[in-house]
Amino acid sequence: MSKAFTKENENDDDLDDTPKLPQSIKNYITPGGYQRLRDEFDQLWKVERPELVKTITWAASNGDRSENGDYIYGKKRLREIDRRLRFLSRRLDSAEIVDPSQRGECDQVFFGATVTVCNAQNEKQTYSIVGMDEAEPGCGRISWISPLAKALLKAHEGDVVTLHTPGGVEELEVIEVHYQAL
């Protein structure tokens, strides 16, 4: 096998800075989140990686590889893509898809719920409780293992939950709970 397609060192898997799943925690994910991961995997595997392999092959055929920028960058990028593909493959294999739209009418907070809460200053905020790989706190999508989600899980509409933060304790009232496809 060509040297271009082998690991540079044995600890390449350890360089992955993406979050690891905690032991004995299931990898819950919404159907939309699963599809986004699947689309990213397909894009990398079917489009980007084959194009990059062509570029590396061409660059390697030009001779001196020690100062060949296309070859050096290509090998580095190929390692990054392969690392991401391994990560996505592991996450997709361990994913447990939970469709929140199948829950129906329910006033209790579970995975996949979209929850509107009100704090002591009467400020309303809406959060969707999603899987670790699809969380975007800035967009109101919080991971189901986050402290806020853990405080909200199993609460009913009208309940007041206590959230312990580094800044102190905050009480949030659950105003509305609904389930929709995410």
Side-chain angles (χ1 to χ4, degrees), residues 36-157:
R36 284 188 289 278
L37 291 181
R38 183 94 223 140
D39 291 344
E40 180 183 357
F41 182 89
D42 290 343
Q43 172 70 19
L44 290 172
W45 182 250
K46 295 177 181 175
V47 178
E48 289 185 37
R49 192 175 193 284
E51 283 298 316
L52 189 58
V53 169
K54 286 181 192 174
T55 303
I56 293 171
T57 304
W58 168 80
S61 71
N62 288 336
D64 184 15
R65 296 176 186 172
S66 64
E67 295 182 13
N68 187 331
D70 287 329
Y71 179 78
I72 293 168
Y73 171 75
K75 276 182 39 177
K76 180 180 178 204
R77 178 68 183 135
L78 186 62
R79 282 191 303 273
E80 292 169 357
I81 288 174
D82 286 345
R83 188 176 308 121
R84 183 68 180 166
L85 285 168
R86 282 190 303 273
F87 169 78
L88 289 171
S89 178
R90 284 191 304 263
R91 286 296 173 97
L92 289 169
D93 288 345
S94 69
E96 194 164 319
I97 302 170
V98 177
D99 190 354
S101 63
Q102 300 298 315
R103 181 157 295 278
E105 290 300 317
C106 181
D107 71 341
Q108 191 172 10
V109 180
F110 293 108
F111 178 86
T114 300
V115 185
T116 303
V117 296
C118 184
N119 63 15
Q121 293 79 28
N122 272 343
E123 297 169 334
K124 290 184 181 179
Q125 292 182 312
T126 302
Y127 301 101
S128 295
I129 300 174
V130 297
M132 286 177 37
D133 297 317
E134 52 189 329
E136 295 179 52
C139 297
R141 299 169 62 88
I142 58 173
S143 169
W144 71 277
I145 62 170
S146 69
L148 176 57
K150 284 182 178 182
L152 292 172
L153 285 172
K154 297 188 180 174
H156 292 271
E157 286 181 6

